Structures are given as C-alpha cells and as structure tokens.
Amino acid sequence: MKRRDFIAGSALGLAAGAAGVAALRRPGANTAKAPATPRRRHEWRFITAWPEGFPGLGTGAARIAQRINDASDGRLTVKLFPAGAIAPALGVFDAVAQGSAEMGHAAAHYWQGKSKAFNFFASVPFGLTASELSAWIHYGGGQELWDEGYAPFGLKSFLAGNTGVQMGGWFKQEMNSIEDFRGIKMRMPGLGGEVLRRIGASAENMGGSDIFAALQSGRINATEWAGPWNDLAFGFYKVVRYYYWPGFHEPGSGIECMVNKAKYDALPADLRAIVATACRAECETMLAEFNRGNAESLRVLVDKHGVLLRRFPDDIMAALGKASDEVLGELTSADDLTRRTYASFRAFRDQSI
C-alpha cells in the first residue's frame, strides 16, 4: 500500500467516526444508556412501649418514623407497631436485641434489671432536668457510656424525646407525712421504685396500658406515669382523686429510640445519619409538646373532673431526698459500668447546679 493511499484511507475513517459521534450528540439521537444500579431498599419494624396514638409518646414515635420515611425517599421504610402488636411494653428491649424488630421506643430505666446504669439514660431521683440530660448525653460523655452498656446486647440507642419534670403521682388519700407511704403499693419504675421501698412502700413496674386495671382491682393503690396530659388520657382520675407534685423520681425523663446495631451498621452512611437526626429532632419536639399538653390537661383535670391537686409537704420531700441519696450512693459498689456512669452523671449534675 502506498503511503498516500494509507493516509487517505485513515482520513476517511476518522471522518466517518467523527460523523458518527456528531450523530449521537444530535437531539433525538438514539443513545443507549447503561442501566442504573437500583438503590437497595430497607424495611424496618418500629415497636413501642406505648398504646397506639398515645399523646406525646406514641405520637412522638410516629413522628420519628415519618421523618425517616420522608428523608430517605423510601429507601428506609419504617412501620410503627404499638405495645402488644409484636412485643409487650416491657419486652421492647429484648425484641429489638433478638431481631424481632429493628427499632424500639421506650424508656431506658425499664431495663434496670440488666444494668442499674441504664437508669441514668432515662431519669433518676433528684437527677437532671430535660435540658441537662440532653447536655450530658450529647456533650458530657453520656452517649459513650450508653453505647458501651448496650453493645453486649447488640443494641445502640439514641435520646429521642423527653416528658419534662413529672408529677409526684396519684393517691387514694392525702399524703401528709412520710409515714403515709408505708404500705402503699405504687406503680413506679427504676430507682424511684427503690426509693419507695426504702421508705416502706412497695413499688412495681408495669406497662402504661395495665395501670388503670391494676388501680381498679387493688393490685396497686397509687401510681405515677408522666404528667397531666398522659394521665388524663389514661383516666386515672376515675379511680383516684389526689394528684401530687413534684415528681422527685423523674425531674427530666428521657425517652430512647433503640436500634438493632447489626441492622443499623448495615445501612449506608446517609441512612444512618437520617435515623440519628430523626431521633435528635424529637428531643426538642416532644418536650415542647408535653409542656403545652400538660398545662392544658391540668386545668381539665382540676376544673372539669374535680381532681384534688396537692404539693408534697417539705418534710416528705426531705425524706425522699435522703432516701434517694442512700439509693444512689450504693451504686458506687455496683458493677463497673454503673459506677462509671454514676460518677459521670454526678459530676455533670454538680457542675450544673
């Protein structure tokens, strides 16, 4: 082949190739695109310790689920189940740990039988207020201790709400002195229940849906739950009339959203961030909603239903404070995690006073 013929042939080939590229770039040209890689979708079950649609707690869990569904554009679909649908109220921890559900909404002091340290991630007697608890968990080392405590169970938890300072409880008679607590059978979880036992009362933990029937049957003759908003919804005023404040046992009750850690770790980074952010957003939202709901509901309880509102006398609060110091002080001889958690919590509380 002559050199000039090779060059001419090459030029024709290049021209044809250029023409083909130009044709592909013209509007309406038949371009074949590589198929997009489908984004993996995840479906999670979200169980709670609350009745369906329950004010503040149940609706707060629903908001978390909705935020995740919306922000993930359907890549992580969260379906909400109330207490009893998949697991009983006090079975949320084990159900999520075992994988019967991927997420759970409850209060960490329900699980103090697994470690006394867990009380501090909800509330302890004469402990932190709502804003102080949030500060300790997010910026004072609390989250790291929480992660350490839940890790052996295959769980990770986030602060996901707060009911604020709680009421002291419902009683069938006036509480004029600490002696009036002797023989009382009261629903109260966590270390608050330990304090009641210390002053001669008995304490029992039970799910919210079981309290009204327990009051009616006489299984218990006093109870606490949260505040006027929730207590009105449960109808405690139909059985007991005396409503006392303040709640020594829970000055700022943190609500948790736990996740099965293996399922959480398997999510891509952006979906993990969406879960964490959805929980964090509920901290402020739930507290604000409780503050409004409690104010409105207290007026209904007193003005419409004739509830007898009372403040605990100073000597009762002093006796409860003394017993609380004893109960908390004994945690220094508990397991290592509880000792370190209490030390961190106490240092933060002392700094916050």
Side-chain angles (χ1 to χ4, degrees):
M1 179 183 289
K2 295 182 180 178
R3 184 170 182 271
R4 62 175 176 271
D5 294 335
F6 174 78
I7 293 173
S10 297
L12 288 171
L14 289 171
V21 171
L24 289 174
R25 288 176 177 168
R26 287 199 304 270
N30 182 19
T31 59
K33 295 182 179 179
T37 302
R39 295 188 299 176
R40 182 183 174 190
R41 296 181 180 274
H42 307 263
E43 295 183 359
W44 277 16
R45 293 152 295 185
F46 187 13
I47 60 176
T48 80
W50 331 118
E52 186 172 7
F54 195 64
L57 298 170
T59 55
R63 280 191 295 263
I64 294 172
Q66 192 62 53
R67 287 190 195 102
I68 294 172
N69 292 339
D70 291 345
S72 69
D73 194 24
R75 290 168 57 211
L76 175 55
T77 302
V78 175
K79 185 175 181 181
L80 192 66
F81 296 89
I86 291 178
L90 300 184
V92 170
F93 186 99
D94 290 337
V96 178
Q98 294 163 8
S100 300
E102 289 75 22
M103 296 178 68
H105 200 246
H109 56 14
Y110 290 171
W111 333 123
Q112 71 159 349
K114 300 180 185 298
S115 173
K116 287 289 197 296
F118 295 171
N119 286 284
F120 294 96
F121 309 119
S123 193
V124 299
F126 294 93
L128 300 178
T129 64
S131 60
E132 290 169 345
L133 180 68
S134 179
W136 174 64
I137 286 177
H138 292 131
Y139 300 107
Q143 185 67 60
E144 291 76 11
L145 290 161
W146 203 351
D147 290 345
E148 181 182 347
Y150 274 29
F153 301 95
L155 295 171
K156 177 175 175 59
S157 204
F158 303 92
L159 189 62
N162 201 297
T163 66
V165 62
Q166 296 199 356
M167 295 292 283
W170 295 84
F171 299 86
K172 291 189 175 182
Q173 72 280 335
E174 288 191 275
M175 308 299 289
N176 296 314
S177 74
I178 201 67
E179 296 297 322
D180 291 326
F181 276 92
R182 301 193 188 282
I184 289 285
K185 296 178 293 183
M186 188 170 186
R187 183 270 176 192
M188 184 176 286
L191 294 178
E194 300 286 343
V195 172
L196 288 183
R197 298 181 191 102
R198 193 62 55 95
I199 61 173
S202 61
E204 183 176 353
N205 188 17
M206 64 182 69
S209 299
D210 299 324
I211 298 175
F212 188 87
L215 282 170
Q216 278 189 316
S217 68
R219 175 180 166 185
I220 57 175
N221 50 28
T223 190
E224 61 76 44
W225 175 255
W229 192 26
N230 280 181
D231 295 357
L232 174 63
F234 273 137
F236 298 147
Y237 64 89
K238 298 174 184 177
V239 185
V240 284
R241 309 294 291 173
Y242 290 97
Y243 197 24
Y244 274 84
W245 65 281
F248 78 94
H249 57 300
E250 296 186 39
S253 307
I255 304 300
E256 67 175 344
C257 180
M258 67 183 78
V259 296
N260 182 287
K261 194 170 186 304
K263 295 293 182 69
Y264 178 74
D265 289 344
L267 294 176
D270 64 325
L271 292 185
R272 293 199 302 271
I274 286 172
V275 171
T277 302
C279 293
R280 185 71 172 264
E282 192 56 30
C283 292
E284 191 277 335
T285 304
M286 183 183 290
L287 180 60
E289 191 176 33
F290 261 99
N291 284 336
R292 182 185 179 215
N294 282 337
E296 293 175 345
S297 298
L298 184 60
R299 184 175 297 279
V300 172
L301 286 168
V302 173
D303 294 347
K304 181 177 179 180
H305 298 298
V307 166
L308 303 172
L309 185 64
R310 299 285 188 272
R311 184 185 186 280
F312 281 131
D314 290 343
D315 59 336
I316 286 182
M317 292 303 294
L320 290 170
K322 180 181 178 182
S324 297
D325 287 343
E326 292 174 359
V327 168
L328 291 173
E330 291 169 3
L331 297 180
T332 57
S333 59
D335 62 273
D336 179 63
L337 176 66
T338 300
R339 285 197 304 271
R340 289 186 288 111
T341 302
Y342 176 43
S344 172
F345 185 95
R346 183 179 59 190
F348 191 91
R349 183 187 63 179
D350 294 345
Q351 203 173 41
S352 300
I353 293 177

